[in-house]
Amino acid sequence: MKHLVRSQGIGAVIGVAVMLAVFTLLDFSGWWTVQTVSNVTQFASILAFVTMGEALVIMTKEIDLSVGSVYGLAGVSFITLEPPLGVSGSLLVALLIAALAGLVQGVAVVKGQLPSMIVTLGGLFTARGIIYVWTGGSVHNFSPDARAHPLTRLLGGELFGIEAATFWLIAIAALLGLLLWATPFGNRLLATGGGRESAESRGVRTERVKIVTFVLCSLLAGFAGILTLCNQPQTHVTLGENMELEAISAAVIGGCLLTGGRGSILGAILGALIVVSFRYELIALGAPSSWYITFVGVVLVAAVIFNQSLARRLGHSV
Amino acid sequence: MTNDHPLIQVKNLDLYFGAFHALRNVSVDFHAGELVGLVGDNGAGKTTLIRVLCGIHAPTSGEVFFDGRKVEKFHPKLAIDQGIETIQQSVGLCDNLSIARNFYLGREPVKRILGIPFLDFALMREKSARVIRQFGLRDNVSTDDEVERLSGGERQSVKIGRAVEFKNRVVIMDEPTNHLSVREREHVNELAVQLKEQGLLVIYITHDIFQVHKLADRIVIMENGAKVADASTDAMTAEELEEVIRQGGRVVEKRETA
């Protein structure tokens, strides 16, 4: 509990509780259906992967705007490279491409001493451009063989009516939570964001920490893209568009402070759940889908106000 | 009290930042078990010299010897590994981390489970508490509390406790009593003497010649990037040394210690 308050995750816990209460009161029969719950869980799981990576980057006091494009690029690579490489081969190469995107951007930010917002904005456009050129705007599909491949089933199938992505999320979130909270790397990551100069004076190689975090973030975004396509193996050029904004919003709603050094994996997941739930419920309530973005904006600002005041109350410098 | 062979030897050190000549042909020896006051006005080059010693800046020319060996590469991590600890007023603690996490930052003790290094929380808490309490941390502060809740003096206690725990050989204190209350200042000064008595080399940087004269074995005065005086506190009074600073090192002849 103390840990949750300190890492600013408490706002997201309250947010989810309030949101579920409101949706239940407003639209009990529409919200608590198997279909809605299963869709929300599936898409929240996917967004949560991207958000967890984004949250880690924000905790190092950087930002990654390229996650949506990296998500799309990894997905497109996975599908397009499947015919020559097979499912496992293309999975590996797609993840490598994602990792490479993170590495290049991380190195540029750290070694070039450039603002990550600009470097990753460049990454956003570059990766998206590659998707356009590579696919030529056409839609690619998995062959029936590839769809039936055990790996595709493992990543995109379902168990007891719950999508595979959710199981993967639970497993990987647990690992990331441990990494962040209980290992020397996590301690140094939080130190890098919370006080870079102090961390360096203790011998922490903050540049290395940041590069690793950028790679991790891109890998998570890439993996999320692959999970999506294993579930519905069809690419389009807009795959992952605007996802970076949803991921940053979700991370902030989940309690990440852009001043660095504070945030939690659980908060990131709950933030993603809030963003996706709003999208679904507004559609379910019959609101035009274009209202969704406005609502995310409102929730985002409300969350920032709450989290900042919580941080000030706890005496954090924000 | 001092050994013959200096622990840190600085020879003809020059450092330029672009066209700015930050250190001018500085040569100085520091011995183990010695408390040296490094004094000078703002911009005199005290902090720059220290930043070379703790690996943040590499000199443009000149040599630094640590324990008789020439320092070839300047990196904070290497300095820390050799046991050189710098205690600075504003740097060294991450506000967002607990005392125990800060205490071990960069050198976290681990317990391996399935080969994966996990933080050894029990050890971190227990040992950091034991060490810092002896340097004056209040009993009602837990090592799980974040350092941003600590007072200025308590922050210094954490840093000094850390220097002792990691068996440092050199502790450089950069303006350690700025913004501290009178009692906290006394406390930190006592700690500096305590460190020296444990056989460490303590380099104490300050503006306040009168304060450090009471503690130090030797005073080194810098002015405009150059060393202008190097005298034992027995050889020169605080008033004499103050005159040196006032005159920018021009009037009083250097009186080197033996």
Side-chain angles (χ1 to χ4, degrees), chain B:
Chain B
M1 178 202 311
T2 54
N3 304 330
D4 297 317
H5 142 88
L7 183 56
I8 298 179
Q9 194 172 21
V10 176
K11 275 188 180 168
N12 309 108
L13 205 67
D14 273 279
L15 178 64
Y16 287 87
F17 293 117
F20 178 61
H21 202 168
L23 291 177
R24 298 164 190 263
N25 195 25
V26 176
S27 297
V28 59
D29 293 346
F30 298 103
H31 297 263
E34 197 182 22
L35 201 165
V36 182
L38 185 56
V39 189
D41 277 336
N42 287 331
K46 309 177 300 269
T47 302
T48 314
L49 174 63
I50 289 321
R51 287 183 157 224
V52 172
L53 299 185
C54 61
I56 297 170
H57 299 317
T60 314
S61 66
E63 293 169 317
V64 178
F65 294 87
F66 184 77
D67 209 5
R69 266 193 302 272
K70 190 176 172 204
V71 179
E72 303 285 354
K73 275 183 77 180
F74 290 82
H75 191 285
K77 176 85 174 138
L78 297 176
I80 291 168
D81 289 346
Q82 286 189 312
I84 302 176
E85 178 91 24
T86 314
I87 295 175
Q88 284 165 286
Q89 184 64 242
S90 58
V91 176
L93 297 175
C94 294
D95 278 350
N96 60 326
L97 299 180
S98 70
I99 294 173
R101 280 173 175 264
N102 262 297
F103 197 86
Y104 286 100
L105 180 59
R107 276 180 285 195
E108 297 86 350
V110 293
K111 267 199 296 206
R112 285 185 185 274
I113 301 169
L114 302 171
I116 303 162
F118 285 106
L119 295 173
D120 190 341
F121 287 115
L123 182 93
M124 284 166 67
R125 284 191 190 109
E126 191 256 324
K127 274 185 89 176
S128 63
R130 186 153 44 79
V131 176
I132 307 170
R133 295 258 184 259
Q134 93 195 35
F135 290 105
L137 191 72
R138 282 171 294 160
D139 283 334
N140 62 354
V141 177
S142 146
T143 53
D144 281 340
D145 288 340
E146 292 178 9
V147 291
E148 69 186 356
R149 304 180 60 179
L150 301 183
S151 71
E154 286 171 323
R155 286 166 161 259
Q156 298 299 58
S157 302
V158 175
K159 296 178 199 171
I160 290 166
R162 191 160 66 179
V164 173
E165 172 63 15
F166 288 111
K167 306 234 177 336
N168 283 113
R169 303 179 67 187
V170 182
V171 174
I172 300 166
M173 302 170 89
D174 192 353
E175 308 273 5
T177 58
N178 277 6
H179 317 297
L180 295 190
S181 67
V182 175
R183 267 173 57 195
E184 285 184 319
R185 194 178 306 165
E186 268 173 23
H187 174 67
V188 168
N189 288 343
E190 276 165 28
L191 295 179
V193 174
Q194 238 174 302
L195 289 174
K196 174 193 107 169
E197 282 164 358
Q198 297 195 16
L200 281 77
L201 160 62
V202 181
I203 304 176
Y204 191 111
I205 306 173
T206 179
H207 291 102
D208 188 346
I209 180 77
F210 293 97
Q211 191 193 147
V212 75
H213 194 272
K214 283 183 270 179
L215 311 170
D217 302 305
R218 190 154 63 92
I219 304 281
V220 172
I221 299 179
M222 292 190 71
E223 181 69 38
N224 281 325
K227 184 174 93 172
V228 295
D230 185 341
S232 88
T233 46
D234 299 335
M236 285 178 85
T237 64
E239 286 76 11
E240 286 172 320
L241 288 163
E242 200 205 13
E243 190 57 26
V244 176
I245 301 170
R246 206 193 301 278
Q247 302 298 329
R250 285 184 297 272
V251 177
V252 185
E253 281 296 299
K254 290 182 229 174
R255 274 192 250 169
E256 302 280 337
T257 46

Side-chain angles (χ1 to χ4, degrees), chain A residues 49-72:
Chain A
F49 272 100
V50 184
T51 306
M52 291 191 299
E54 187 69 62
L56 291 173
V57 170
I58 293 175
M59 283 179 228
T60 70
K61 212 176 174 177
E62 300 289 347
I63 199 142
D64 189 345
L65 297 178
S66 72
V67 285
S69 298
V70 170
Y71 168 96

